[in-house]
């Protein structure tokens, strides 16, 4: 890392820290070459972000350079940040990481608290690197300047990039090569596709469509008969690696998350469930205050094992989009029970509400259950009291004990 210490990369940011030990050897080797640190130009030479018209010029410049342009090679990166000591970065650190990504491209979509989606197709020619090389530069800078490691998935569209990220170990990149989407998807389980929840996956498996490859081979009409016209077409396209979504800069958050860390490894199952309830109460109140509902929940449990600490994450889809704390809590408990960690030493629990949407546009099944209606009215009154007197003004008795 002597080259990094002598470069312009860390000028103006104070004393350059020692290179973290977690920096992988292949990252350092990729940074060396005839044009030493050509992708890490000095602050006076590299603009903080490429302007939109510059990106257009890059896309239309042709393929005469050695770097393949957009559409011919992966150009979408999906990142997950983790502190070297474990856990996601804090709010200030996350803002700094987003600013770091903004120095490569203005097309950065935040996915708090620890992720981001980036379109670097316009930056590949500028930096003279492919997606994997640019991902290595980003990882080096995140480690050197923020002490944060990251896993990165790279592909031709956001869906494939997110799926590639799941295959990337911390501190590494996983790239779906151009033309390699079919081979990458073929052996994945049906539930690995975006938009396929537990119920849909079970239905597909009942027809023998238990892998993405088999879904891709099925006729469109068959999928539409099984899952419906719109869902069937979405499945048909996604199984072939087609994703019509785009990276949207400064897009509204599609998920919200919170976590609780215990001061020591926690064996008491009741305390773990209380932590889960506090998370559902927090996220439910936040979503209701912003006029949003979620479609699914993901629970993450960090526990001690023989190798140190491991993290398990599972998600389930709600019966209907909601921000009702009681329904969020019931689903979170079911996910927690599915881990079957009766004697696990749990250090932290995280909860993410996914698939956010406007509450005014969400469908709600009418019910004649007076208990449910009364609970929702009490919840609305409690929200107003918290807004006036603070978040701890009203809380479930189980949390107040």
């Amino acid at each position: 890392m002597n080259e990094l210490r002598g470069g312009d990369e860390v000028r103006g940011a104070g004393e350059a820290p020692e290179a973290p030990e977690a920096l992988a050897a292949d990252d350092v080797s990729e940074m060396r070459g005839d044009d030493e640190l050509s992708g890490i130009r000095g602050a006076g030479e590299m603009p903080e972000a490429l302007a939109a018209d510059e990106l257009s010029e890059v896309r239309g410049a042709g393929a005469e350079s050695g770097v393949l342009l957009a559409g011919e090679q992966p150009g979408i990166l999906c990142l997950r940040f983790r502190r070297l000591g474990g856990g996601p970065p804090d709010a200030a650190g996350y803002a700094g990481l987003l600013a770091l990504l903004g120095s490569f491209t203005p097309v950065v979509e935040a996915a708090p608290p620890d992720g981001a989606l980036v379109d670097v197709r316009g930056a590949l020619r500028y930096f003279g690197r492919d997606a994997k090389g640019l991902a290595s530069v980003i990882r080096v800078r995140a480690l050197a300047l923020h002490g944060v490691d990251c896993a990165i998935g790279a592909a031709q569209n956001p869906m494939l990039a997110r799926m590639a990220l799941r295959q990337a170990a911390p501190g590494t990149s996983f790239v779906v090569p151009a033309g390699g989407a079919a081979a990458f998807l073929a052996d994945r389980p049906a539930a690995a596709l975006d938009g396929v929840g537990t119920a849909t996956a079970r239905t597909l498996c009942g027809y023998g469509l238990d892998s993405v490859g088999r879904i891709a081979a099925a006729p469109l009409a068959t999928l539409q008969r099984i899952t419906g016209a719109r869902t069937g077409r979405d499945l048909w396209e996604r199984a072939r690696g087609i994703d019509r979504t785009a990276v949207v800069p400064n897009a509204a958050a599609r998920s919200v998350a919170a976590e609780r860390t215990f001061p020591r490894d926690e064996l008491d199952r009741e305390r773990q469930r209380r932590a889960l309830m506090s998370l559902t109460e927090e996220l439910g109140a936040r979503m209701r205050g912003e006029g949003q509902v979620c479609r699914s929940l993901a629970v993450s449990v960090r526990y001690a094992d023989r190798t140190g600490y491991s993290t398990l994450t599972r998600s389930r889809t709600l019966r209907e989009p909601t921000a009702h704390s009681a329904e969020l809590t019931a689903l979170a408990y079911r996910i927690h029970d599915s881990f079957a960690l009766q004697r696990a030493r749990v250090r932290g629990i995280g909860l993410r509400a996914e698939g956010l949407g406007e509450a005014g546009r969400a469908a709600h099944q009418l019910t004649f259950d007076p208990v449910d209606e009364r609970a929702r009215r009490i919840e609305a009154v409690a929200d107003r009291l918290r807004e006036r007197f603070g978040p701890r003004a009203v809380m479930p008795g189980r949390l107040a004990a």
Side-chain angles (χ1 to χ4, degrees):
M1 295 298 293
N2 293 330
E3 292 83 2
L4 274 177
R5 296 193 189 102
D8 293 328
E9 167 58 25
V10 293
R11 291 180 184 172
E15 185 67 19
E18 287 288 321
E21 294 181 0
L23 185 60
D26 59 345
D27 292 336
V28 179
S29 63
E30 285 191 56
M31 302 300 297
R32 296 175 178 155
D34 296 333
D35 183 10
E36 194 73 29
L37 298 180
S38 62
I40 308 183
R41 297 179 173 88
E45 299 174 5
M46 183 186 69
E48 292 187 357
L50 293 177
D53 56 348
E54 293 175 356
L55 296 181
S56 300
E57 292 176 5
V58 169
R59 293 191 179 103
E64 59 271 16
S65 70
V67 181
L68 297 175
L69 298 182
E72 298 181 359
Q73 72 167 13
I76 307 296
L77 304 182
C78 188
L79 303 93
R80 182 176 61 246
F81 302 108
R82 306 297 291 180
R83 295 196 305 258
L84 294 181
D90 56 25
Y94 182 68
L97 290 164
L98 292 180
L100 169 66
L101 296 175
S103 68
F104 291 89
T105 172
V107 191
V108 179
E109 181 178 329
D114 61 353
L117 199 61
V118 185
D119 187 341
V120 297
R121 289 175 293 183
L124 297 180
R125 181 181 174 89
Y126 179 85
F127 287 94
R129 294 175 180 273
D130 59 9
K132 183 176 182 180
L134 198 57
S136 295
V137 176
I138 293 173
R139 191 162 54 247
V140 167
R141 292 191 182 187
L143 278 169
L145 300 178
H146 300 276
V148 172
D149 202 358
C150 56
I152 303 177
Q156 294 85 354
N157 59 54
M159 181 195 73
L160 290 175
R162 286 190 291 267
M163 295 180 70
L165 174 62
R166 297 171 198 152
Q167 307 302 314
T172 66
S173 300
F174 188 96
V175 180
V176 179
F184 170 70
L185 292 171
D187 297 329
R188 308 286 170 202
L193 283 177
D194 283 1
V196 178
T198 304
T200 303
R202 187 183 304 115
T203 300
L204 292 170
C205 289
Y207 288 88
L209 304 175
D210 55 354
S211 69
V212 178
R214 292 185 175 181
I215 295 173
L220 172 60
T222 300
L223 293 175
Q224 290 180 323
R225 283 197 299 271
I226 294 173
T227 62
R230 181 174 179 178
T231 303
R233 176 164 289 279
D234 289 343
L235 277 174
W236 188 79
E237 291 184 347
R238 291 170 182 168
R240 287 164 172 75
I242 301 171
D243 181 17
R244 301 185 185 279
T245 63
V247 180
V248 183
N250 303 318
R254 296 178 182 175
S255 64
V256 292
E259 65 176 17
R260 297 286 185 271
T261 301
F262 299 110
R264 60 184 63 86
D265 293 345
E266 185 58 69
L267 287 167
D268 190 340
R269 186 174 179 79
E270 178 61 24
R271 291 184 180 178
Q272 296 173 23
R273 292 173 75 90
R274 285 178 60 186
L276 263 181
M277 175 177 279
S278 71
L279 289 170
T280 57
E281 289 288 329
E282 177 185 336
L283 294 187
R286 188 191 308 179
M287 287 189 289
R288 293 191 298 272
E290 297 174 356
Q292 294 181 317
V293 292
C294 69
R295 297 182 61 86
S296 61
L297 289 180
V299 176
S300 298
V301 176
R302 190 164 186 260
Y303 63 96
D305 60 13
R306 295 178 180 178
T307 61
Y309 285 94
S310 297
T311 301
L312 286 177
T313 301
R314 288 182 183 172
S315 62
R316 299 277 176 85
T317 302
L318 291 152
R319 292 186 300 112
E320 61 184 20
T322 186
H324 185 34
S325 292
E327 293 189 18
L328 299 179
T329 301
L331 181 58
Y333 282 173
R334 291 198 296 272
I335 299 174
H336 183 252
D337 291 341
S338 72
F339 288 120
L341 299 174
Q342 287 83 357
R343 298 184 60 82
R345 294 174 293 144
V346 176
R347 176 52 64 95
I349 296 178
L351 182 69
R352 180 188 295 275
E354 300 175 329
L356 299 187
E358 295 181 18
R361 296 187 177 184
H364 172 57
Q365 178 65 47
L366 296 178
T367 175
F368 294 102
D369 182 4
V371 175
D372 179 73
E373 294 300 323
R374 183 166 58 250
R376 291 177 184 271
R377 288 198 298 270
I378 292 173
E379 188 174 67
V381 173
D383 287 341
R384 292 196 292 271
L385 291 173
R386 293 190 191 100
E387 184 178 356
R388 183 173 180 180
F389 298 107
R392 298 184 62 83
V394 181
M395 64 178 62
R398 190 173 187 178
L399 298 181

